[in-house]
Amino acid sequence: MAAAMTIVLFSAYRSFPADVQGLGHQSLGMLSLTASGLLFCAGPLIPEAVLLFAANSTMLGAAGLMLIGTQLFFGRKPSWWWLALAWVIGMVCLVGWYVITQDYALRVAVFSLLTLSFYVAQLVLLVRHGERHFSSWFFGTLLLVQSLVLLLRLFAALSGAVGTSNASNGAVQGIFLLTANFMTLMMAVGFMTIATRRLQVVMEHRSNSDPLTGVLNRRGFAAAYHREVALMKRHGKPMTLLSIDLDYFKAINDQYGHAVGDRVLVHAAHTTVSALREIDHVARFGGEEFIVLLSGTTAEQAKATAQRIRASLFEARGGDVPDYTVSIGIASQQAPDESLEALMARADAGLYRAKAAGRDRSEAA
């Protein structure tokens, strides 16, 4: 089963977009666990010293690789130094155990503590950076259970209740071995749940976003508009639409080329977003036309916002884009029964007046 979950994780690694990080290292971790299990099963065929170092080092490396995978998933810098340090400590412990004193309990305590540190670190990452979603709660529960089992084994080793070898009988040893085999599979399932959730979020974002500028597309804007209408119905808050068009954009494309024109569009989108609040919505409706939905904003307040957008674009001139200006039409929706098409038509009427009046200005409908 561990080998099967390795294949599942590796398949996801090859299939999921680059936005979902960590799957490759998780699959390597599962592969290491599979190799460790095979080594332990092949005990009679392998010299004891080789088996001791190979099986335990791959098992410790597996837990470290899973931590690296989780760190990459959450966009954190991977702690390769941590994995290397834990591996060195583990190998030194094995040398001491094999050469000086074959104290099985001490070996179990050291490796339980080292492995526990990897799982606790993953749990902390999940608590601090994980999405508040069922997938995170599920994976977090598995990490907590695994950490508690390792903590139990650590205390049992310190109290001398783990026997004298892996083959020793006993309640603690039995619980650990049973749980370890089960959790090997469940940890892979848990990581796949948060990876699948991340994939869903990424695909939804892509389907709702303009690929060039990163702002909303028509589909994403329509969803945002319907949410704002629902707020208007519940709380009576006004909202205002800005229709923004880049002046003489065709001349920019003709003079500088479409690559520069694309940079102008990206520049305009990012500068507009930076001039707004987080609760406002910006969308590209094709070509050089952008739409801004201002939540809880009256027409008078929207005029000040339109002026702020134009001022931000003026201040951000220079660099690798030519100078440009925008014209803005303003229309405020006071009643929730007005359709988006009607509201946009009124904003476009204001935009046409701004164009007719000389461009580089804003006009209310």
Side-chain angles (χ1 to χ4, degrees):
M1 289 301 293
M5 292 310 302
T6 301
I7 295 173
V8 170
L9 285 167
F10 182 74
S11 177
Y13 163 68
R14 295 298 301 270
S15 304
F16 282 26
D19 306 70
V20 186
Q21 294 283 318
L23 282 163
H25 291 81
Q26 287 284 336
S27 65
L28 283 175
M30 285 298 299
L31 182 62
S32 297
L33 280 177
T34 304
S36 177
L38 291 175
L39 286 169
F40 278 120
C41 291
L45 306 176
I46 302 175
E48 181 184 3
V50 175
L51 174 65
L52 182 68
F53 284 91
N56 282 283
S57 62
T58 53
M59 184 171 60
L60 188 61
L65 284 169
M66 289 179 178
L67 170 61
I68 298 296
T70 304
Q71 289 175 327
L72 290 172
F73 179 83
F74 289 114
R76 305 294 101 183
K77 185 178 180 180
S79 300
W80 289 109
W81 63 269
W82 189 343
L83 175 55
L85 179 62
W87 188 86
V88 169
I89 293 173
M91 294 307 100
V92 170
C93 170
L94 287 178
V95 170
W97 181 86
Y98 192 77
V99 175
I100 302 173
T101 173
Q102 295 192 353
D103 187 340
Y104 178 72
L106 177 61
R107 178 166 65 111
V108 169
V110 171
F111 273 85
S112 295
L113 180 60
L114 293 174
T115 308
L116 175 63
S117 70
F118 290 133
Y119 286 109
V120 170
Q122 289 187 73
L123 186 58
V124 171
L125 273 173
L126 190 66
V127 171
R128 293 182 60 186
H129 305 289
E131 181 187 3
R132 297 300 177 260
H133 184 263
F134 169 77
S135 58
S136 297
W137 291 111
F138 178 63
F139 188 44
T141 300
L142 295 175
L143 288 170
L144 181 61
V145 170
Q146 181 76 330
S147 299
L148 290 175
V149 170
L150 286 167
L151 189 62
L152 174 64
R153 196 174 196 229
L154 173 62
F155 287 147
L158 294 176
S159 63
V162 292
T164 58
S165 71
N166 288 331
S168 301
N169 294 321
V172 173
Q173 188 78 336
I175 292 173
F176 174 75
L177 293 176
L178 179 62
T179 307
N181 290 328
F182 176 71
M183 293 303 295
T184 295
L185 306 178
M186 293 307 296
M187 293 299 294
V189 173
F191 191 84
M192 275 300 301
T193 59
I194 62 171
T196 303
R197 170 59 181 172
R198 176 70 61 83
L199 175 64
Q200 178 188 3
V201 171
V202 168
M203 298 310 293
E204 286 180 354
H205 179 265
R206 289 185 179 183
S207 68
N208 290 326
S209 301
D210 175 57
L212 175 64
T213 62
V215 298
L216 296 174
N217 57 18
R218 288 176 178 266
R219 182 177 183 272
F221 183 81
Y225 173 78
H226 290 306
R227 290 195 298 269
E228 292 297 332
V229 169
L231 288 175
M232 175 180 283
K233 290 179 179 179
R234 287 198 299 268
H235 307 294
K237 290 184 177 181
M239 61 179 174
T240 300
L241 194 75
L242 304 182
S243 181
I244 303 176
D245 192 81
L246 275 65
D247 298 325
Y248 302 112
F249 183 71
K250 184 178 183 301
I252 293 176
N253 271 335
D254 292 342
Q255 181 177 353
Y256 298 99
H258 289 281
V260 174
D262 286 347
R263 289 203 296 270
V264 169
L265 291 172
V266 173
H267 182 270
H270 292 179
T271 306
T272 299
V273 169
S274 66
L276 299 173
R277 305 165 298 178
E278 290 187 3
I279 61 173
D280 299 324
H281 310 281
V282 182
R284 182 184 176 208
F285 264 45
E288 66 273 25
E289 181 184 2
F290 293 91
I291 298 295
V292 175
L293 186 62
L294 302 174
S295 177
T297 304
T298 64
E300 288 301 316
Q301 293 170 329
K303 291 179 182 178
T305 301
Q307 179 58 32
R308 186 168 67 250
I309 292 172
R310 292 178 52 245
S312 296
L313 292 171
F314 180 83
E315 293 170 0
R317 292 189 304 177
D320 61 347
V321 296
D323 294 346
Y324 64 94
T325 60
V326 298
S327 299
I328 304 177
I330 305 171
S332 181
Q333 180 166 342
Q334 301 296 335
D337 56 350
E338 183 179 15
S339 67
L340 176 58
E341 290 74 15
L343 180 62
M344 290 184 61
R346 291 197 294 114
D348 285 342
L351 174 63
Y352 298 148
R353 282 201 295 272
K355 294 281 191 182
R359 294 180 169 81
D360 190 20
R361 67 186 65 232
S362 58
E363 294 286 343

